[in-house]
Amino acid sequence: MSSNPKLTREQVAARAALELHNGDCVNLGWGIPNLVSDYVPTGITVYFHSENGILGMGPRARAGEEDYDVVDAMKVPVTVIPGASFFDQGTAHLMSRGGHLDVSMLGGLQVAENGDFANWKIPGAKGSGGIGGAMDIATGARRLIVCMEHVTKEGAPKLVRRCTYPLTALACVHRVVTDLAVVDVTPEGFVLREVAPGWTPQQVQQQTDARLIVRGDVPEIRLAGR
Amino acid sequence: MKQKLYDTVDAAVGDVPSGARIFFGGFGGAGFPNNLIQALDRQGASELTAITNNCGSGDGELGILFKHGRIRSVIASFPGPHARHFQELYAAGKISLELVPQGILCERIRAAGAGIYGFYAAVGAGTPVADGREERVVGGRRTVFYEPLAAEFAFIKAWKADELGNLIYRKTARNFNPLMAVAAKTTIVEVEEVVPVGSLDPEAIVTPFVFIHRIVRAKGIHNVVKS
């Protein structure tokens, strides 16, 4: 294991934000993806989609300016940007499930090397659990980027050969951005694209259940201000 | 013109029987028919089946119906960790739950209203949602069959109704409401304002009046409990 720190959640979000392009329509899920909107590269406009019926969601509403009829999927009062629209939940998921969004980013529990994805239920966890929009979003994503920690709090790898948790969707993940690496899902398996500063591909492999394919030099994740 | 206006929320829900299946609109604190929910609680019908996105937040939204043991069975996409009363009943094995992916929940409801007797979708394939469901490969992709989801009553919230029942909604308070409106035998809407026929722009009407059976004006209750 490297003595260098892992990326913070904010740094993972900042790296994930580099995946966005001008004009993209983007769904951000719970967890680290929810932070990504703070790091959209300057000079581009991204239209954030919310499953409760917004395309063109803006920043959180300022204190005193909240309208509780304009909320995001986490119940937080938000704003909308010019060009935004409101619609019903069925139309919102027509967009996600029907492959109309450019990029979707979701938090994850496990990603398998064949692209299978688990993010809604930890076996044995208390409570009813809940699916929400995750299955529709993951199944229909044109480009699904999972943003998560590389290992669990207990140190168990989350990039695995086969998911052992209940699945969210089959073979749906394109890229994983973690606090240790950027990894692509390819027909050959996981390909290591970038590593956290100070980490070697071998050290990242030790934190990964599945095999990471390394092609040539693997650059470090570039962080703002570095 | 059929008389659809009710003077009170209590009158609007007075005939809901025990054992009824009911849609409840609302998402993320917005667009919940909270006045109708509270009237239903006062009315006392029990053994209800609730079809809803989530199961309340504390005592708010559907929470009060779980607290008072009115609901026996739930079909939902995300009951929610803050649905304390639901979670207690669920942990005690006193309530049944069918989890449905959110977009599939929408489409099953829409199908029921549209006379569609089911559909196949890739959503859920390979997951516990597919357990016990028919599967087939369509266009090279594994898909799962979903049947329509109808109810006897829909409790919905809109912003404005005209006296016929044409509805417009406000911002994200629309959410599930227009979908549920079309799929119940009796759709009851609570609105902030009732306006004369002809005063809503026909281009702006989201739910045409044919789907609406009862209208009641009630001041909106927002549940701003953080979750």
Short mmCIF file of all heavy atoms in Angstrom, two decimals, chain A residues 107-123 138 144 146 148 157-173 176 185 190 209-210, chain B residues 125-128:
data_model
loop_
_atom_site.label_atom_id
_atom_site.label_comp_id
_atom_site.label_asym_id
_atom_site.label_seq_id
_atom_site.Cartn_x
_atom_site.Cartn_y
_atom_site.Cartn_z
N GLY A 107 -23.18 6.62 -7.59
CA GLY A 107 -22.35 6.04 -6.54
C GLY A 107 -22.46 4.52 -6.64
O GLY A 107 -23.42 4.00 -7.22
N GLY A 108 -21.47 3.80 -6.11
CA GLY A 108 -21.50 2.35 -6.28
C GLY A 108 -21.04 1.58 -5.05
O GLY A 108 -20.31 2.10 -4.22
N LEU A 109 -21.51 0.32 -4.98
CA LEU A 109 -21.02 -0.61 -3.95
C LEU A 109 -20.04 -1.59 -4.56
O LEU A 109 -19.01 -1.90 -3.97
CB LEU A 109 -22.20 -1.38 -3.34
CG LEU A 109 -23.22 -0.54 -2.56
CD1 LEU A 109 -24.44 -1.39 -2.21
CD2 LEU A 109 -22.60 0.03 -1.30
N GLN A 110 -20.36 -2.10 -5.76
CA GLN A 110 -19.45 -3.00 -6.48
C GLN A 110 -19.60 -2.78 -7.98
O GLN A 110 -20.72 -2.57 -8.47
CB GLN A 110 -19.80 -4.47 -6.20
CG GLN A 110 -19.50 -4.93 -4.80
CD GLN A 110 -19.82 -6.42 -4.62
OE1 GLN A 110 -20.78 -6.93 -5.21
NE2 GLN A 110 -19.04 -7.10 -3.80
N VAL A 111 -18.46 -2.83 -8.67
CA VAL A 111 -18.46 -2.88 -10.14
C VAL A 111 -17.65 -4.11 -10.53
O VAL A 111 -16.54 -4.32 -10.01
CB VAL A 111 -17.85 -1.61 -10.76
CG1 VAL A 111 -17.79 -1.75 -12.28
CG2 VAL A 111 -18.63 -0.37 -10.36
N ALA A 112 -18.21 -4.91 -11.44
CA ALA A 112 -17.51 -6.11 -11.89
C ALA A 112 -16.80 -5.85 -13.21
O ALA A 112 -17.17 -4.92 -13.95
CB ALA A 112 -18.49 -7.27 -12.05
N GLU A 113 -15.82 -6.70 -13.50
CA GLU A 113 -15.01 -6.46 -14.71
C GLU A 113 -15.81 -6.65 -15.99
O GLU A 113 -15.37 -6.23 -17.06
CB GLU A 113 -13.77 -7.37 -14.71
CG GLU A 113 -14.08 -8.85 -14.70
CD GLU A 113 -12.84 -9.71 -14.52
OE1 GLU A 113 -11.72 -9.16 -14.49
OE2 GLU A 113 -12.99 -10.94 -14.40
N ASN A 114 -17.00 -7.27 -15.91
CA ASN A 114 -17.87 -7.36 -17.09
C ASN A 114 -18.85 -6.18 -17.16
O ASN A 114 -19.76 -6.17 -17.99
CB ASN A 114 -18.64 -8.68 -17.09
CG ASN A 114 -19.57 -8.81 -15.89
OD1 ASN A 114 -19.59 -7.95 -15.00
ND2 ASN A 114 -20.33 -9.89 -15.86
N GLY A 115 -18.70 -5.21 -16.25
CA GLY A 115 -19.56 -4.03 -16.27
C GLY A 115 -20.81 -4.15 -15.41
O GLY A 115 -21.58 -3.19 -15.30
N ASP A 116 -21.03 -5.31 -14.80
CA ASP A 116 -22.17 -5.45 -13.88
C ASP A 116 -21.99 -4.47 -12.71
O ASP A 116 -20.86 -4.19 -12.29
CB ASP A 116 -22.28 -6.88 -13.33
CG ASP A 116 -22.78 -7.88 -14.36
OD1 ASP A 116 -23.08 -7.46 -15.49
OD2 ASP A 116 -22.86 -9.08 -14.02
N PHE A 117 -23.11 -4.05 -12.18
CA PHE A 117 -23.09 -2.93 -11.24
C PHE A 117 -24.06 -3.21 -10.08
O PHE A 117 -25.19 -3.63 -10.30
CB PHE A 117 -23.52 -1.67 -12.00
CG PHE A 117 -23.61 -0.42 -11.19
CD1 PHE A 117 -22.62 -0.05 -10.29
CD2 PHE A 117 -24.71 0.43 -11.34
CE1 PHE A 117 -22.72 1.12 -9.55
CE2 PHE A 117 -24.81 1.61 -10.62
CZ PHE A 117 -23.82 1.95 -9.72
N ALA A 118 -23.58 -2.96 -8.86
CA ALA A 118 -24.43 -3.08 -7.67
C ALA A 118 -24.31 -1.80 -6.87
O ALA A 118 -23.20 -1.38 -6.53
CB ALA A 118 -23.99 -4.28 -6.83
N ASN A 119 -25.46 -1.18 -6.57
CA ASN A 119 -25.37 0.06 -5.78
C ASN A 119 -26.55 0.29 -4.86
O ASN A 119 -26.66 1.37 -4.29
CB ASN A 119 -25.17 1.28 -6.69
CG ASN A 119 -26.48 1.87 -7.20
OD1 ASN A 119 -27.47 1.17 -7.33
ND2 ASN A 119 -26.47 3.16 -7.47
N TRP A 120 -27.44 -0.68 -4.69
CA TRP A 120 -28.66 -0.35 -3.94
C TRP A 120 -28.87 -1.15 -2.68
O TRP A 120 -29.66 -0.77 -1.84
CB TRP A 120 -29.90 -0.43 -4.83
CG TRP A 120 -30.27 -1.81 -5.29
CD1 TRP A 120 -29.70 -2.51 -6.30
CD2 TRP A 120 -31.28 -2.66 -4.74
NE1 TRP A 120 -30.29 -3.74 -6.43
CE2 TRP A 120 -31.27 -3.85 -5.48
CE3 TRP A 120 -32.21 -2.53 -3.69
CZ2 TRP A 120 -32.14 -4.91 -5.22
CZ3 TRP A 120 -33.07 -3.58 -3.44
CH2 TRP A 120 -33.03 -4.75 -4.20
N LYS A 121 -28.14 -2.24 -2.51
CA LYS A 121 -28.44 -3.07 -1.36
C LYS A 121 -27.20 -3.82 -0.87
O LYS A 121 -26.56 -4.52 -1.65
CB LYS A 121 -29.53 -4.09 -1.73
CG LYS A 121 -30.03 -4.88 -0.54
CD LYS A 121 -31.25 -5.69 -0.91
CE LYS A 121 -31.82 -6.32 0.35
NZ LYS A 121 -33.16 -6.82 0.13
N ILE A 122 -26.89 -3.64 0.41
CA ILE A 122 -25.85 -4.42 1.05
C ILE A 122 -26.53 -5.60 1.73
O ILE A 122 -27.42 -5.40 2.55
CB ILE A 122 -25.07 -3.60 2.09
CG1 ILE A 122 -24.42 -2.38 1.42
CG2 ILE A 122 -24.03 -4.46 2.79
CD1 ILE A 122 -23.78 -1.41 2.39
N PRO A 123 -26.15 -6.84 1.35
CA PRO A 123 -26.82 -7.99 1.95
C PRO A 123 -26.76 -7.91 3.48
O PRO A 123 -25.72 -7.63 4.05
CB PRO A 123 -26.04 -9.19 1.42
CG PRO A 123 -25.42 -8.70 0.15
CD PRO A 123 -25.12 -7.25 0.38
N ALA A 138 -29.17 3.34 -14.67
CA ALA A 138 -28.02 2.50 -15.04
C ALA A 138 -28.30 1.70 -16.31
O ALA A 138 -27.46 1.60 -17.21
CB ALA A 138 -27.67 1.56 -13.89
N LEU A 144 -22.14 5.42 -18.51
CA LEU A 144 -22.30 5.38 -17.05
C LEU A 144 -20.93 5.41 -16.38
O LEU A 144 -20.08 4.54 -16.63
CB LEU A 144 -23.05 4.11 -16.62
CG LEU A 144 -23.25 3.95 -15.11
CD1 LEU A 144 -24.06 5.10 -14.52
CD2 LEU A 144 -23.92 2.62 -14.79
N VAL A 146 -19.20 5.41 -12.72
CA VAL A 146 -19.43 5.14 -11.30
C VAL A 146 -18.34 5.85 -10.51
O VAL A 146 -17.15 5.73 -10.83
CB VAL A 146 -19.44 3.63 -11.01
CG1 VAL A 146 -19.50 3.37 -9.51
CG2 VAL A 146 -20.62 2.98 -11.72
N MET A 148 -16.83 6.26 -6.75
CA MET A 148 -16.91 5.60 -5.44
C MET A 148 -15.52 5.45 -4.84
O MET A 148 -14.51 5.69 -5.49
CB MET A 148 -17.57 4.22 -5.59
CG MET A 148 -16.78 3.24 -6.45
SD MET A 148 -17.63 1.65 -6.63
CE MET A 148 -16.31 0.68 -7.37
N PRO A 157 -12.21 -4.90 -1.55
CA PRO A 157 -12.22 -4.28 -2.89
C PRO A 157 -13.64 -4.14 -3.42
O PRO A 157 -14.49 -5.00 -3.21
CB PRO A 157 -11.43 -5.29 -3.74
CG PRO A 157 -10.62 -6.06 -2.79
CD PRO A 157 -11.42 -6.14 -1.52
N LYS A 158 -13.88 -3.02 -4.13
CA LYS A 158 -15.19 -2.78 -4.74
C LYS A 158 -15.16 -2.98 -6.25
O LYS A 158 -16.21 -3.02 -6.89
CB LYS A 158 -15.68 -1.37 -4.40
CG LYS A 158 -15.91 -1.19 -2.89
CD LYS A 158 -16.18 0.24 -2.49
CE LYS A 158 -17.55 0.71 -2.89
NZ LYS A 158 -17.89 2.03 -2.28
N LEU A 159 -13.95 -3.08 -6.82
CA LEU A 159 -13.81 -3.48 -8.22
C LEU A 159 -13.51 -4.97 -8.21
O LEU A 159 -12.43 -5.39 -7.79
CB LEU A 159 -12.70 -2.70 -8.92
CG LEU A 159 -13.09 -1.27 -9.32
CD1 LEU A 159 -12.74 -0.30 -8.22
CD2 LEU A 159 -12.45 -0.87 -10.62
N VAL A 160 -14.49 -5.76 -8.65
CA VAL A 160 -14.47 -7.20 -8.40
C VAL A 160 -14.60 -7.99 -9.70
O VAL A 160 -14.99 -7.45 -10.74
CB VAL A 160 -15.62 -7.58 -7.44
CG1 VAL A 160 -15.38 -6.97 -6.06
CG2 VAL A 160 -16.98 -7.13 -7.99
N ARG A 161 -14.28 -9.29 -9.61
CA ARG A 161 -14.44 -10.15 -10.79
C ARG A 161 -15.93 -10.34 -11.08
O ARG A 161 -16.36 -10.18 -12.22
CB ARG A 161 -13.76 -11.51 -10.55
CG ARG A 161 -12.26 -11.45 -10.88
CD ARG A 161 -11.51 -12.62 -10.33
NE ARG A 161 -11.26 -12.43 -8.89
CZ ARG A 161 -10.44 -13.17 -8.16
NH1 ARG A 161 -9.80 -14.17 -8.71
NH2 ARG A 161 -10.27 -12.92 -6.88
N ARG A 162 -16.70 -10.66 -10.06
CA ARG A 162 -18.15 -10.78 -10.22
C ARG A 162 -18.81 -10.15 -9.00
O ARG A 162 -18.35 -10.37 -7.89
CB ARG A 162 -18.59 -12.25 -10.33
CG ARG A 162 -18.21 -12.91 -11.65
CD ARG A 162 -19.01 -12.35 -12.83
NE ARG A 162 -18.57 -12.93 -14.11
CZ ARG A 162 -17.63 -12.40 -14.88
NH1 ARG A 162 -16.99 -11.30 -14.50
NH2 ARG A 162 -17.30 -12.96 -16.02
N CYS A 163 -19.88 -9.41 -9.22
CA CYS A 163 -20.58 -8.79 -8.09
C CYS A 163 -21.19 -9.88 -7.20
O CYS A 163 -21.76 -10.84 -7.69
CB CYS A 163 -21.69 -7.87 -8.58
SG CYS A 163 -21.10 -6.39 -9.41
N THR A 164 -21.08 -9.67 -5.90
CA THR A 164 -21.73 -10.57 -4.94
C THR A 164 -22.95 -9.91 -4.31
O THR A 164 -23.76 -10.58 -3.69
CB THR A 164 -20.74 -10.98 -3.83
OG1 THR A 164 -20.18 -9.79 -3.25
CG2 THR A 164 -19.63 -11.84 -4.39
N TYR A 165 -23.08 -8.60 -4.45
CA TYR A 165 -24.26 -7.89 -3.95
C TYR A 165 -25.37 -7.97 -5.00
O TYR A 165 -25.10 -8.16 -6.19
CB TYR A 165 -23.94 -6.41 -3.69
CG TYR A 165 -23.00 -6.13 -2.55
CD1 TYR A 165 -22.45 -7.14 -1.76
CD2 TYR A 165 -22.65 -4.82 -2.24
CE1 TYR A 165 -21.60 -6.85 -0.71
CE2 TYR A 165 -21.80 -4.52 -1.19
CZ TYR A 165 -21.27 -5.54 -0.42
OH TYR A 165 -20.43 -5.25 0.61
N PRO A 166 -26.63 -7.77 -4.57
CA PRO A 166 -27.72 -7.73 -5.57
C PRO A 166 -27.44 -6.66 -6.63
O PRO A 166 -27.03 -5.54 -6.29
CB PRO A 166 -28.95 -7.35 -4.73
CG PRO A 166 -28.60 -7.76 -3.33
CD PRO A 166 -27.12 -7.56 -3.20
N LEU A 167 -27.65 -7.01 -7.88
CA LEU A 167 -27.30 -6.10 -8.97
C LEU A 167 -28.30 -4.95 -9.11
O LEU A 167 -29.47 -5.08 -8.78
CB LEU A 167 -27.26 -6.86 -10.30
CG LEU A 167 -26.11 -7.84 -10.50
CD1 LEU A 167 -26.16 -8.39 -11.93
CD2 LEU A 167 -24.76 -7.19 -10.23
N THR A 168 -27.77 -3.86 -9.64
CA THR A 168 -28.60 -2.74 -10.10
C THR A 168 -28.91 -2.93 -11.58
O THR A 168 -30.04 -2.72 -12.02
CB THR A 168 -27.86 -1.42 -9.87
OG1 THR A 168 -27.56 -1.30 -8.48
CG2 THR A 168 -28.70 -0.23 -10.32
N ALA A 169 -27.88 -3.29 -12.34
CA ALA A 169 -28.06 -3.56 -13.77
C ALA A 169 -26.88 -4.37 -14.28
O ALA A 169 -25.78 -4.33 -13.72
CB ALA A 169 -28.20 -2.26 -14.57
N LEU A 170 -27.14 -5.10 -15.37
CA LEU A 170 -26.12 -5.92 -16.02
C LEU A 170 -25.26 -5.07 -16.95
O LEU A 170 -25.79 -4.20 -17.66
CB LEU A 170 -26.78 -7.01 -16.86
CG LEU A 170 -27.62 -8.07 -16.13
CD1 LEU A 170 -28.50 -8.81 -17.14
CD2 LEU A 170 -26.71 -9.04 -15.40
N ALA A 171 -23.97 -5.35 -16.99
CA ALA A 171 -23.06 -4.85 -18.03
C ALA A 171 -23.37 -3.43 -18.47
O ALA A 171 -23.63 -3.17 -19.65
CB ALA A 171 -23.09 -5.80 -19.24
N CYS A 172 -23.34 -2.50 -17.54
CA CYS A 172 -23.78 -1.13 -17.84
C CYS A 172 -22.70 -0.07 -17.60
O CYS A 172 -22.83 1.05 -18.07
CB CYS A 172 -25.01 -0.79 -17.01
SG CYS A 172 -24.73 -0.96 -15.23
N VAL A 173 -21.63 -0.42 -16.86
CA VAL A 173 -20.65 0.60 -16.46
C VAL A 173 -19.60 0.79 -17.55
O VAL A 173 -19.11 -0.19 -18.12
CB VAL A 173 -19.96 0.19 -15.14
CG1 VAL A 173 -18.89 1.22 -14.74
CG2 VAL A 173 -20.97 0.01 -14.02
N VAL A 176 -14.99 3.86 -14.18
CA VAL A 176 -15.07 4.00 -12.73
C VAL A 176 -14.01 5.01 -12.30
O VAL A 176 -12.85 4.90 -12.69
CB VAL A 176 -14.81 2.65 -12.01
CG1 VAL A 176 -15.08 2.79 -10.51
CG2 VAL A 176 -15.69 1.55 -12.61
N VAL A 185 -14.12 -0.06 -18.20
CA VAL A 185 -14.62 -1.42 -18.42
C VAL A 185 -14.55 -1.66 -19.93
O VAL A 185 -15.12 -0.89 -20.72
CB VAL A 185 -16.06 -1.57 -17.93
CG1 VAL A 185 -16.59 -2.97 -18.23
CG2 VAL A 185 -16.15 -1.26 -16.44
N PHE A 190 -11.11 -4.83 -16.89
CA PHE A 190 -10.76 -3.50 -16.40
C PHE A 190 -9.43 -3.03 -16.99
O PHE A 190 -8.42 -3.75 -16.91
CB PHE A 190 -10.60 -3.51 -14.88
CG PHE A 190 -11.88 -3.60 -14.11
CD1 PHE A 190 -11.99 -4.48 -13.03
CD2 PHE A 190 -12.97 -2.78 -14.40
CE1 PHE A 190 -13.16 -4.55 -12.27
CE2 PHE A 190 -14.15 -2.85 -13.65
CZ PHE A 190 -14.23 -3.73 -12.59
N ASP A 209 -9.88 -6.52 -6.54
CA ASP A 209 -10.12 -7.96 -6.63
C ASP A 209 -9.88 -8.45 -8.06
O ASP A 209 -9.21 -9.45 -8.28
CB ASP A 209 -11.57 -8.25 -6.20
CG ASP A 209 -11.97 -9.69 -6.45
OD1 ASP A 209 -11.27 -10.58 -5.93
OD2 ASP A 209 -12.96 -9.91 -7.16
N ALA A 210 -10.42 -7.73 -9.04
CA ALA A 210 -10.26 -8.15 -10.43
C ALA A 210 -8.89 -7.73 -10.95
O ALA A 210 -8.23 -6.85 -10.39
CB ALA A 210 -11.36 -7.52 -11.29
N ALA B 125 -33.44 -6.75 -15.30
CA ALA B 125 -32.88 -8.03 -15.74
C ALA B 125 -31.61 -8.33 -14.94
O ALA B 125 -30.77 -7.47 -14.76
CB ALA B 125 -32.57 -7.98 -17.23
N GLY B 126 -31.52 -9.54 -14.44
CA GLY B 126 -30.35 -9.94 -13.67
C GLY B 126 -30.36 -9.46 -12.23
O GLY B 126 -29.39 -9.64 -11.50
N THR B 127 -31.46 -8.82 -11.81
CA THR B 127 -31.55 -8.29 -10.44
C THR B 127 -32.71 -8.99 -9.71
O THR B 127 -33.51 -9.67 -10.34
CB THR B 127 -31.85 -6.77 -10.45
OG1 THR B 127 -33.25 -6.57 -10.67
CG2 THR B 127 -31.06 -6.05 -11.53
N PRO B 128 -32.79 -8.78 -8.40
CA PRO B 128 -33.89 -9.41 -7.65
C PRO B 128 -35.28 -8.97 -8.13
O PRO B 128 -36.26 -9.68 -7.87
CB PRO B 128 -33.65 -8.93 -6.21
CG PRO B 128 -32.19 -8.62 -6.15
CD PRO B 128 -31.83 -8.10 -7.51
#
